[in-house]
Amino acid sequence: MKNEIDYRAKSVELERELVSLKKRTLQYIAVMKEINNEALSLDKTAVKGKEKDQLLSKLRRVEKQLEVTERKLSALQNSTLGKLTLKYWNLRKRLRRGV
């Protein structure tokens, strides 16, 4: 019984972490799109070297953060408990839909 309680606590913890990682990934993607749009609009108006360097460094920083987040998400999804959690979520979805 004790192991079952520990398992449920771990499952809830992993679920929260996965949701958090997904949100951060979406935020990073939004920031990258914004930077890309800024770069495109500035490129049309002849971007100065310093501004371009700042935008590129910001883009690199965001890409590194995204890469780290994706690595963590991948590790979580590929772990045994992570796989079980994902299967559990899918089962809950199917049960809610009545399939």
Side-chain angles (χ1 to χ4, degrees):
M1 188 69 170
K2 183 179 178 184
N3 289 338
E4 185 176 324
I5 294 171
D6 291 341
Y7 171 74
R8 287 182 183 172
K10 280 282 192 188
S11 176
V12 169
E13 180 183 333
L14 284 172
E15 182 177 344
R16 287 183 186 148
E17 186 175 347
L18 184 60
V19 169
S20 169
L21 288 172
K22 284 183 178 181
K23 285 180 183 178
R24 285 183 22 209
T25 302
L26 291 174
Q27 288 173 349
Y28 294 144
I29 290 171
V31 169
M32 287 177 57
K33 286 181 181 179
E34 180 184 326
I35 291 171
N36 190 24
N37 290 340
E38 286 178 19
L40 288 175
S41 66
L42 290 175
D43 203 23
K44 292 177 183 174
T45 61
V47 178
K48 296 178 184 173
K50 189 174 182 180
E51 292 175 11
K52 189 173 184 179
D53 290 340
Q54 288 174 346
L55 286 174
L56 287 174
S57 67
K58 187 176 179 182
L59 180 63
R60 283 190 206 104
R61 193 172 47 243
V62 170
E63 284 177 340
K64 282 182 185 179
Q65 290 174 341
L66 176 62
E67 183 180 324
V68 168
T69 303
E70 285 177 339
R71 236 183 300 134
K72 286 182 180 181
L73 178 62
S74 176
L76 181 62
Q77 288 176 335
N78 292 330
S79 70
T80 303
L81 193 53
K83 287 179 185 176
L84 281 172
T85 303
L86 291 175
K87 287 179 183 179
Y88 173 71
W89 291 342
N90 287 331
L91 175 67
R92 280 183 29 196
K93 263 191 231 178
R94 284 196 319 241
L95 290 176
R96 265 191 242 133
R97 292 181 189 157
V99 174

